[in-house]
Amino acid sequence: MSESTLHVRYLGKQDYKSVWHAMQDYTDNRDASSPDQLWLVEHPPVFTQGQAGKSEHILNPGDIPVIQVDRGGQVTYHGPGQLVAYPLINIKRLKIGVRQLVTDIENSIVQMLEGYQVKAYAKADAPGVYVDERKVASLGLRIRKGCSFHGLALNVDMDMSPFHRINPCGYAGLEMVQCKQLGGPQTVEEAGERLVKTFSHNLGYQNLIHHQGLSESYE
């Protein structure tokens, strides 16, 4: 049952640190029978700096906090109007590697945008999803005990100006774009609904169980 079932949790608007620590707790305490989960959330404004992050890519954070985190990648921005999705996946049980998980996540976003006639694509040398060389989704994962946490951030309908305070994902001058500009999903809820469908299909989940919020056990 657990191999083909995905628990989808809708967290609404939640503080970054509390969700990050909940992801760590779930990953550290899960066992071979623990279900895979996909957490959908919006965060208040925050910059997160990955393990390989270099301080020179944080140009002018101003009043937005910067948090050092344990995912891969460089600095990115989270804020209201952005869909953040955290796949807590036992990739060992699914018999896939990290590269395949990244590809499946990227393809899920590409396919979701295809439904809006938006031509998006991934890049082999720069994880994420792009439209006309502008980045619409960022990606950063961590694998522990054969299980993933952290995930993706899809720009939907947000204030994009904080991206100018950093070199997004470590690339100076990288232009960011959002779904609303592209004619894609217009709300975080709409984007989440569409992404759940493409993600669950690509990862081969047959059953979806939907939850509102986090419980203490996350079950």
Side-chain angles (χ1 to χ4, degrees):
M1 174 72 172
S2 60
E3 290 187 30
S4 63
T5 299
L6 180 68
H7 290 246
V8 183
R9 293 196 171 276
Y10 302 90
L11 308 188
K13 294 180 172 64
Q14 295 280 345
D15 171 70
Y16 181 86
K17 278 189 176 180
S18 61
V19 176
W20 170 32
H21 294 319
M23 284 193 290
Q24 291 176 317
D25 290 344
Y26 185 74
T27 303
D28 289 342
N29 294 306
R30 67 184 299 174
D31 58 29
S33 65
S34 299
D36 288 343
Q37 306 211 10
L38 181 66
W39 295 1
L40 304 180
V41 64
E42 286 178 81
H43 293 305
V46 63
F47 295 115
T48 66
Q49 177 79 294
Q51 288 183 307
K54 297 179 180 179
S55 58
E56 61 260 32
H57 293 308
I58 302 172
L59 307 176
N60 179 28
D63 57 350
I64 299 176
V66 180
I67 300 177
Q68 303 290 328
V69 298
D70 54 350
R71 61 164 172 78
Q74 299 275 343
V75 65
T76 194
Y77 170 71
H78 299 307
Q82 181 188 68
L83 172 67
V84 182
Y86 295 126
L88 308 181
I89 305 299
N90 187 333
I91 63 173
K92 189 175 181 180
R93 184 168 63 201
L94 287 185
K95 298 180 174 60
I96 63 173
V98 183
R99 181 62 250 182
Q100 184 61 50
L101 176 61
V102 169
T103 298
D104 287 340
I105 292 171
E106 291 171 334
N107 286 343
S108 297
I109 301 169
V110 169
Q111 292 161 9
M112 184 265 285
L113 290 172
E114 278 178 358
Y116 296 87
Q117 287 73 54
V118 176
K119 293 183 178 180
Y121 54 91
K123 293 183 176 184
D125 59 340
V129 176
Y130 302 80
V131 178
D132 296 328
E133 292 303 300
R134 298 173 296 171
K135 195 167 193 175
V136 69
S138 303
L139 187 63
L141 295 171
R142 175 74 187 271
I143 306 295
R144 185 183 293 169
K145 297 181 359 182
C147 300
S148 69
F149 61 108
H150 290 289
L152 69 96
L154 175 69
N155 306 327
V156 180
D157 180 13
M158 59 190 298
D159 176 8
M160 301 289 280
S161 62
F163 283 111
H164 298 302
R165 303 188 191 187
I166 59 173
N167 291 330
C169 307
Y171 292 94
L174 175 63
E175 186 178 351
M176 305 295 287
V177 70
Q178 57 183 331
C179 294
K180 187 174 183 179
Q181 295 170 259
L182 299 169
Q186 300 295 292
T187 66
V188 168
E189 292 76 17
E190 180 185 353
E193 181 181 332
R194 297 295 187 98
L195 184 65
V196 166
K197 291 179 180 178
T198 55
F199 178 84
S200 58
H201 178 266
N202 285 339
L203 273 293
Y205 296 106
Q206 303 299 313
N207 307 299
L208 297 180
I209 300 176
H210 300 275
H211 307 265
Q212 295 293 330
L214 286 176
S215 65
E216 289 186 9
S217 64
Y218 316 123
E219 295 297 333

